[in-house]
Amino acid sequence: MRSGRSPARLRTAVAAAVGAVLIAVLSGCTQDGGRIAMAPTGGVAVKGGTATMALPPAATPNWIFPIGAPGFSASYNASIQTLLFMPVYDAVQKGADLVPTGPNTLGLTPVYSDGNRTVTLPLRKDATWSDGTPVTARDIEFWFNMVKSAKADWASYSVGAMPDNVKSFETVDAHTVRLHLNRAYNPDWFTANQLTLMRALPQQAWDARTDGGKTGDWDRTPAGAKAVFSRLTEHSKSLGSYGTDPLWKTVDGPWKIAEWRDSGQVSLVPNPKYTGTDRPHLDKVVFKPFTTADSEYNVLRSGGVDYGYIPPSVLAQKTKFEDRGYSVEPWDGWAVSYIVYNFNSSAGGPEMRQLYIRQAMQHLVDQKAMSDVIWQGSAAPTLGPVPAAPKTQYLSKAMEKNQYPFSVSTARTMLTDHGWSLAGGQARCARPGTGADECGAGIAKNAPLQLTLLSQSGSTETTNMMQELKSSLSKAGIDLTVRQQPLNSVLGNSVPCKKNDPGCDWDMSFFGTAGSWYFPLNPSGEQLFSTGASANFGNYSDPKADKLIRAVQYSGDPNAMHAYGEYLARQLPVMWMPNPAYQVSVIRNDLRGVSQNPTVTFAPQDWYYVKKGADQ
């Protein structure tokens, strides 16, 4: 699953010093402890050419409007939108680091003042729309007015966050925006996770309530903004018309649409009006989705794509591709992977609510063996709610080691110490009750420790990992039933539910074949683990966790993130699982300039071909 961020897709100081330290504070993502995978560089560049990039199964681009509707905010949609519409702030590759500003972003360094209750956003003055109109603060106001009036229909909306946390929006001048906030916020968090949601949209071309209607300032009233938003949303539902619809021809990014098929295949060509320094080198880039990994693999082997991927299970065969002139590089994501615990399950809910049971099960997850054997070394451990790789300032020293190393004996002891009998190979509650040495509230005498796991199908690695988990849990008498379903079914069945709701009988859920959750730049957990959060599928609720999450949002103290990460790592709101690479990429050696950003954004304007045989 991808987060609802607006790319996805590493995104403190007092106001007077924020400009000087912003890059150092927000970059953080280095090669130490993680891979910033890149194809070969250098060589004698060849002008032009077409590069075809394969998109994985289910990654079919199907939404162009840069305000994503629920169900349409996946990373591949946002990444392509960013090529057409410059983000105000985004994750930008700068050497081995990620920073929020760069040549393909509209915003310059934000300035916080009034005790971090006000943020001023200076904008580039040279940006223009493809129709020749300057990009101004009015275009950001246009975006803000629409998301404010139609926030319930915006996939990135979270109660209390953008736009709720903006008390008033001020246009200082044509190239300066000022946000007056409803309280003080951590500048790192607000820039990384709120300002990166903002977009400049072509107000002069889109601000009409009806097709053929007059453009104007309709967005400046709630009713008018809703009408404009509704019209643009309807146009975005017409996938096959993206390439011909005049609305989508007005762009300010480095690329414009040449073709967008009903199948989701997208062809982009350079935008001649683009004013950024990172102008495209290629004549065209094609994003080609595939229905299955096997079909992509066959096309890749025949040389039908320039930038593809292989499943980790065939990594041992990578020399076959290297001999054919390709480089093979895992693309690590800024993500964590986990199995959701359903604390409200009508079946295993009482067991899920016992910390010692979650701890015992975490001791039965052999992440290293799963990565080495099943993922062929292409997965990194998930040690808590903060990604363990690449290493960043967000990860404390304490979190660099596994809090629950694999140990069957430790798991068995934790269960027997809390009243479980393991006789006959099946754990059963022998001492019911709520005492320190008893099974816990809601667990009856002789109740078996039996759990049901919903897991996504279609991946050999995931199937093998679930079978390995089932085997490990059985060694401590825990009986796990795995029910595999298509990804969309797993997500649809893993929604938050009340204890007695029909369908609330699932105990655990896994949807992390390509990573469960991709973060914006700051890996805060308000969407995942705060009480009642939109992506808190298992209904986890802990007042201390809520307090620590708010501290990350509000406090500029970097230790707030460390305290949050360490507490949730130990409390196990979910079962931490190996975090696989986003994909194992296979890239033609003569295609240069490819940088695999951990936040899973594309930058094909940097790609170029070199003469075959050129020195690397």
Side-chain angles (χ1 to χ4, degrees):
M1 181 178 178
R2 306 292 182 262
S3 80
R5 81 182 187 91
S6 183
R9 280 125 60 174
L10 280 147
R11 290 202 200 224
T12 70
V14 295
V18 73
V21 303
L22 185 70
I23 296 301
V25 171
L26 288 182
S27 60
C29 178
T30 70
Q31 292 179 345
D32 181 20
R35 298 169 295 227
I36 304 294
M38 300 182 71
T41 58
V44 180
V46 175
K47 180 66 175 174
T50 296
T52 298
M53 179 180 186
L55 298 179
T60 302
N62 60 357
W63 196 260
I64 190 172
F65 185 27
I67 301 177
F72 293 90
S73 61
S75 59
Y76 43 85
N77 280 328
S79 293
I80 291 176
Q81 291 164 11
T82 297
L83 303 178
L84 306 171
F85 304 97
M86 276 196 298
V88 182
Y89 297 98
D90 201 3
V92 178
Q93 194 82 45
K94 190 171 185 179
D97 296 333
L98 292 173
V99 296
T101 59
N104 193 30
T105 55
L106 185 64
L108 303 176
T109 302
V111 178
Y112 288 82
S113 58
D114 187 27
N116 296 332
R117 294 174 181 270
T118 300
V119 55
T120 302
L121 314 177
L123 309 174
R124 288 173 46 186
K125 297 181 179 180
D126 62 337
T128 63
W129 295 105
S130 52
D131 63 4
T133 306
V135 180
T136 69
R138 178 69 178 96
D139 298 313
I140 299 178
E141 180 198 359
F142 178 56
W143 171 88
F144 182 81
N145 289 340
M146 282 194 292
V147 298
K148 185 175 181 180
S149 67
K151 59 188 181 183
D153 297 315
W154 179 33
S156 296
Y157 174 64
S158 181
V159 176
M162 182 74 71
D164 296 348
N165 51 21
V166 178
K167 189 165 58 176
S168 63
F169 183 104
E170 177 187 358
T171 300
V172 179
D173 57 41
H175 296 96
T176 309
V177 164
R178 182 169 294 141
L179 305 180
H180 300 273
L181 311 180
N182 61 0
R183 59 155 298 136
Y185 287 93
N186 172 6
D188 180 63
W189 176 83
F190 197 85
T191 299
N193 294 17
Q194 301 293 275
L195 298 185
T196 52
L197 297 172
M198 303 183 78
R199 288 291 183 271
L201 302 179
Q203 185 268 336
Q204 82 287 352
W206 289 7
D207 199 355
R209 295 176 297 179
T210 60
D211 290 341
K214 181 181 178 181
T215 57
D217 293 324
W218 305 111
D219 65 295
R220 285 180 164 165
T221 68
K226 286 183 179 179
V228 174
F229 178 87
S230 177
R231 170 176 173 258
L232 293 169
T233 298
E234 284 302 310
H235 275 257
S236 201
K237 292 177 181 178
S238 181
L239 183 65
S241 68
Y242 287 179
T244 56
D245 192 328
L247 279 174
W248 315 127
K249 293 185 182 296
T250 305
V251 298
D252 64 343
W255 301 88
K256 64 179 184 177
I257 300 172
E259 181 185 42
W260 197 310
R261 299 181 185 176
D262 286 326
S263 64
Q265 180 169 309
V266 179
S267 298
L268 304 180
V269 295
N271 170 15
K273 299 289 187 178
Y274 179 59
T275 57
T277 57
D278 56 337
R279 295 174 181 271
H281 303 287
L282 299 173
D283 294 324
K284 181 187 289 187
V285 60
V286 178
F287 298 100
K288 185 178 180 64
F290 287 84
T291 56
T292 66
D294 286 343
S295 61
E296 186 275 344
Y297 183 62
N298 291 331
V299 172
L300 179 64
R301 285 195 303 176
S302 66
V305 295
D306 309 298
Y307 185 171
Y309 55 88
I310 58 174
S313 57
V314 299
L315 257 176
Q317 304 175 33
K318 72 174 187 175
T319 54
K320 294 181 179 180
F321 289 96
E322 291 170 341
D323 292 343
R324 295 176 183 175
Y326 289 89
S327 60
V328 179
E329 294 283 355
W331 186 349
D332 291 334
W334 182 235
V336 293
S337 291
Y338 50 81
I339 291 175
V340 173
Y341 291 126
N342 183 7
F343 293 92
N344 283 351
S345 172
S346 58
E351 287 81 4
M352 297 295 90
R353 292 192 287 272
Q354 307 305 317
L355 176 59
Y356 77 87
I357 291 181
R358 304 198 303 274
Q359 290 173 326
M361 290 198 294
Q362 192 66 57
H363 275 299
L364 295 169
V365 181
D366 193 347
Q367 294 202 57
K368 186 177 188 306
M370 288 180 179
S371 178
D372 291 346
V373 178
I374 297 173
W375 293 101
Q376 299 293 303
S378 65
T382 297
L383 304 178
V386 177
K391 289 182 181 178
T392 66
Q393 80 276 16
Y394 299 120
L395 188 73
S396 70
K397 287 289 185 182
M399 285 308 305
E400 292 181 10
K401 70 174 186 175
N402 192 344
Q403 303 296 302
Y404 298 100
F406 179 71
S407 174
V408 174
S409 62
T410 300
R412 290 173 63 92
T413 298
M414 295 184 90
L415 293 177
T416 56
D417 284 351
H418 286 83
W420 292 85
S421 168
L422 306 185
Q426 170 68 69
R428 292 184 180 274
C429 178
R431 295 194 300 274
T434 58
D437 63 346
E438 295 173 331
C439 300
I443 302 177
K445 185 175 179 62
N446 292 323
L449 190 42
Q450 296 176 327
L451 303 171
T452 299
L453 167 64
L454 307 179
S455 177
Q456 70 180 95
S457 58
S459 164
T460 300
E461 290 78 17
T462 291
T463 297
N464 291 342
M465 190 163 58
M466 294 304 106
Q467 290 306 310
E468 167 62 23
L469 180 63
K470 176 181 174 70
S471 175
S472 292
L473 292 179
S474 71
K475 294 174 183 177
I478 303 172
D479 182 14
L480 181 68
T481 298
V482 180
R483 296 177 181 170
Q484 287 199 297
Q485 303 172 347
L487 176 59
N488 288 341
S489 296
V490 173
L491 292 172
N493 292 325
S494 304
V495 295
C497 55
K498 296 180 180 179
K499 294 178 184 178
N500 297 319
D501 282 352
C504 199
D505 58 350
W506 60 276
D507 302 319
M508 303 162 73
S509 174
F510 179 74
F511 40 78
T513 294
S516 300
W517 187 263
Y518 280 74
F519 289 102
L521 295 178
N522 181 298
S524 58
E526 66 275 2
Q527 288 183 276
L528 293 177
F529 303 123
S530 61
T531 300
S534 58
N536 185 352
F537 301 131
N539 297 286
Y540 176 75
S541 181
D542 182 330
K544 183 174 180 179
D546 290 339
K547 183 178 179 180
L548 291 171
I549 289 169
R550 287 193 295 271
V552 173
Q553 295 177 270
Y554 302 156
S555 171
D557 182 359
N559 291 321
M561 177 66 78
H562 294 171
Y564 154 75
E566 291 171 14
Y567 182 73
L568 269 293
R570 294 190 298 268
Q571 289 297 304
L572 300 171
V574 293
M575 177 186 284
W576 310 119
M577 297 293 288
N579 186 49
Y582 172 72
Q583 69 180 34
V584 179
S585 298
V586 179
I587 310 168
R588 275 179 50 173
N589 280 334
D590 59 338
L591 179 62
R592 306 292 172 87
V594 177
S595 175
Q596 300 194 140
N597 188 321
T599 54
V600 193
T601 52
F602 312 137
Q605 56 271 22
D606 297 332
W607 303 352
Y608 62 96
Y609 282 111
V610 296
K611 293 180 179 179
K612 289 194 175 182
D615 292 335
Q616 297 183 11

